[in-house]
Amino acid sequence: MREYFDVIIVGGGMVGAALAAALGKDRLQVALVEAGEAPAPVDDDRFDLRVSSLNLASQRLLESVGAWSLIPEERRCPFRHILAWDIQGQGETRFSAESIGLENFGSFVENRVIRHALWASLVEMPNVECFCEAAPIAQLSGRDRVLLELDNGRLLTGSLLVGAEGAGSRVRERAGIRVDVTDYHQRALIINVQTALPQQDVSWQRFTPEGPQAMLPLTGHHASLVWYGDPEKVRAREAMDDETLRTTIEKEFPSRLGGLERVLGRASFPIKRQHARRYTASRVVLVGDAAHVVHPLAGQGLNLGLQDVITLAERLAYAHAHNKDLGGLASIGRYALERRPQTLAMMAATETFHRVFTGGEGLRSAGSAGLALAERLPQAKQWMMRRALGI
Ligand SMILES: Cc1cc2nc3c(=O)[nH]c(=O)nc-3n(C[C@H](O)[C@H](O)[C@H](O)COP(=O)(O)OP(=O)(O)OC[C@H]3O[C@@H](n4cnc5c(N)ncnc54)[C@H](O)[C@@H]3O)c2cc1C
């Protein structure tokens, strides 16, 4: 049995689900294929380890598909200030939402909460069909259709196939698109903590020669700390018992953090950069981590993926409304043309921060002077803030 769709999306993570919702809202016939189960509702008060900063553009996307209102207020932490400084530096750079006439920069939300809200928004869209616990085993791009065979025996056809299955995308591999990978030889230790101080409206990052230390606020005296470093040191910290880890953080993190009441959880992730050489192939397009993985120090990976969604959904809605081929180059080629330079700019920015602040003494002094200089250039700061917000 074959089933026909306008667009088939493989991967129901935050980016794939957001694309399904954006296209579903525009009345396209969409298939969403996800290897795992549909996300379960979040009904406990435990904070998950994976947290993302959603910028204003991402927040607006979630609002437009009806997912934002499904995120309970107690699970979103809006922040108004961002601070960055170097451990040996001459000053800090402070970004304030107020200085560009905004109430906040965006919100920190747990990934599982974002993903569940997006999937819940799909329930209202009968034109989106979800195929869970299913993965493609073969794909074939023809002249006017693409054919996808799933491991549960289903055969789907569509005008366009979207690879949204994250960094290890098989859609990308089967389409013959190669990737360039840079291993930073760093891991990020994520630690959820309960803090003595309330500091919920600020997110900060201190650069050290080993890697940045960051505080991402969560609601109610909770925070997600990110401690980048040498893989062996990170593994050793990850293996500490809660009390040893708590006192180590109090000693090694900036005093601004204040005391820690408790360590609530930890996990570590390898840090790499990855970029697909092309975002498109015949009737195939890539979005999110399937297309690009950036160093998470600027907290922009998901925001880039959701910006892909905004741009691709616009192109496809236009093609659909004008009876044009959804998988044609006019639609997906323009998407790639728009998105690639944006991603490259973000990659260059995060790469510069990483290299400067983990480089030798001279580079770090230059970086530190750069932060101090940025503090004295309000227009440059405003430009950077608008870029990071996606507005
Ligand atoms: C330490 C760390 C901190 C980060 N912090 C931030 C932050 O603050 N802000 C931010 O914007 N970004 C952040 N990021 C980046 C962000 O987490 C990713 O960019 C984002 O999760 C990518 O989403 P995705 O939907 O593209 O891919 P994924 O989240 O990888 O989702 C892929 C989905 O595809 C499914 N799948 C996989 N294979 C198949 C298959 N064969 N068939 C069907 N389905 C399949 C998976 O089950 C999954 O549901 C961070 C990343 C790291 C490592």
Side-chain angles (χ1 to χ4, degrees):
M1 189 174 67
R2 277 184 197 189
E3 287 148 292
Y4 292 84
F5 297 91
D6 293 318
V7 179
I8 305 170
I9 303 166
V10 180
M14 294 180 282
V15 173
L19 182 64
L23 299 179
K25 182 180 67 84
D26 287 333
R27 307 254 170 265
L28 276 78
Q29 299 296 322
V30 180
L32 179 64
V33 180
E34 164 57 42
E37 292 175 8
V42 178
D43 48 14
D44 51 49
D45 55 10
R46 178 184 62 84
F47 282 99
D48 196 38
L49 282 162
R50 293 299 302 266
V51 170
S52 294
S53 59
L54 288 171
N55 67 17
L56 287 186
S58 298
Q59 196 169 305
R60 283 178 198 153
L61 170 68
L62 265 64
E63 279 165 7
S64 73
V65 299
W68 186 248
S69 58
L70 301 175
I71 299 179
E73 221 166 292
E74 63 275 14
R75 310 294 302 213
R76 336 169 176 143
C77 187
F79 61 108
R80 294 172 185 82
H81 309 283
I82 302 172
L83 308 181
W85 73 100
D86 177 53
I87 195 166
Q88 291 152 346
Q90 310 147 4
E92 65 179 27
T93 307
R94 169 182 278 265
F95 300 96
S96 289
E98 207 185 6
S99 69
I100 49 171
L102 295 172
E103 205 177 303
N104 59 59
F105 281 122
S107 299
F108 285 100
V109 188
E110 296 150 81
N111 290 5
R112 64 176 178 149
V113 174
I114 300 171
R115 186 163 176 252
H116 177 263
L118 284 164
W119 274 73
S121 72
L122 299 177
V123 172
E124 307 296 322
M125 301 178 185
N127 47 325
V128 178
E129 193 171 339
C130 300
F131 298 82
C132 289
E133 297 179 69
I137 50 172
Q139 73 194 46
L140 186 69
S141 291
R143 202 163 56 86
D144 24 64
R145 303 294 280 177
V146 59
L147 188 68
L148 195 72
E149 186 182 355
L150 304 185
D151 58 1
N152 61 8
R154 306 284 284 262
L155 212 49
L156 313 181
T157 69
S159 298
L160 179 66
L161 175 63
V162 183
E165 342 91 290
S169 170
R170 294 293 310 278
V171 167
R172 182 185 67 215
E173 195 183 304
R174 288 195 192 99
I177 301 176
R178 297 176 63 189
V179 286
D180 294 312
V181 187
T182 304
D183 187 343
Y184 286 111
H185 304 291
Q186 254 192 351
R187 283 185 85 80
L189 179 61
I190 315 234
I191 314 140
N192 275 3
V193 293
Q194 199 175 327
T195 55
L197 295 176
Q199 40 194 327
Q200 267 51 45
D201 70 341
V202 59
S203 174
W204 50 252
Q205 180 143 233
R206 176 172 78 165
F207 294 96
T208 80
E210 197 195 331
Q213 297 166 321
M215 197 279 298
L216 322 179
L218 297 170
T219 49
H221 282 234
H222 290 96
S224 167
L225 305 180
V226 192
W227 194 353
Y228 297 86
D230 170 72
E232 271 177 34
K233 287 189 187 161
V234 170
R235 292 251 190 239
R237 290 171 190 142
E238 191 179 2
M240 288 174 177
D241 62 68
D242 283 356
E243 185 50 22
T244 314
L245 183 57
R246 189 186 70 78
T247 50
T248 307
I249 296 168
E250 281 187 343
K251 197 164 125 241
E252 301 285 338
F253 262 60
S255 56
R256 186 190 299 273
L257 178 63
L260 293 187
E261 303 285 341
R262 275 193 306 157
V263 165
L264 301 166
R266 85 288 294 273
S268 77
F269 301 88
I271 303 298
K272 67 172 178 182
R273 185 186 65 187
Q274 182 173 295
H275 203 193
R277 291 196 181 164
R278 289 179 291 139
Y279 289 181
T280 60
S282 172
R283 299 204 169 273
V284 172
V285 64
L286 304 176
V287 291
D289 277 20
H292 42 69
V293 176
V294 297
H295 195 304
L297 69 81
Q300 290 297 324
L302 174 61
N303 289 317
L304 276 180
L306 294 178
Q307 194 60 52
D308 294 345
V309 169
I310 294 167
T311 305
L312 184 61
E314 268 172 21
R315 295 275 148 253
L316 297 181
Y318 178 87
H320 188 59
H322 293 82
N323 256 336
K324 303 219 184 278
D325 182 3
L326 294 169
L329 255 190
S331 313
I332 59 174
R334 283 195 62 179
Y335 155 79
L337 269 181
E338 266 184 58
R339 291 305 301 145
R340 219 178 155 79
Q342 303 285 338
T343 305
L344 281 168
M346 183 57 72
M347 280 186 164
T350 50
E351 186 71 15
T352 306
F353 271 99
H354 169 73
R355 297 232 174 273
V356 165
F357 289 104
T358 55
E361 190 70 37
L363 267 178
R364 286 212 317 280
S365 305
S368 180
L371 283 181
L373 179 67
E375 185 56 25
R376 276 181 251 123
L377 295 173
Q379 277 173 336
K381 275 200 332 186
Q382 289 188 4
W383 181 83
M384 285 194 271
M385 283 187 269
R386 289 186 184 282
R387 293 290 296 221
L389 289 169
I391 57 175

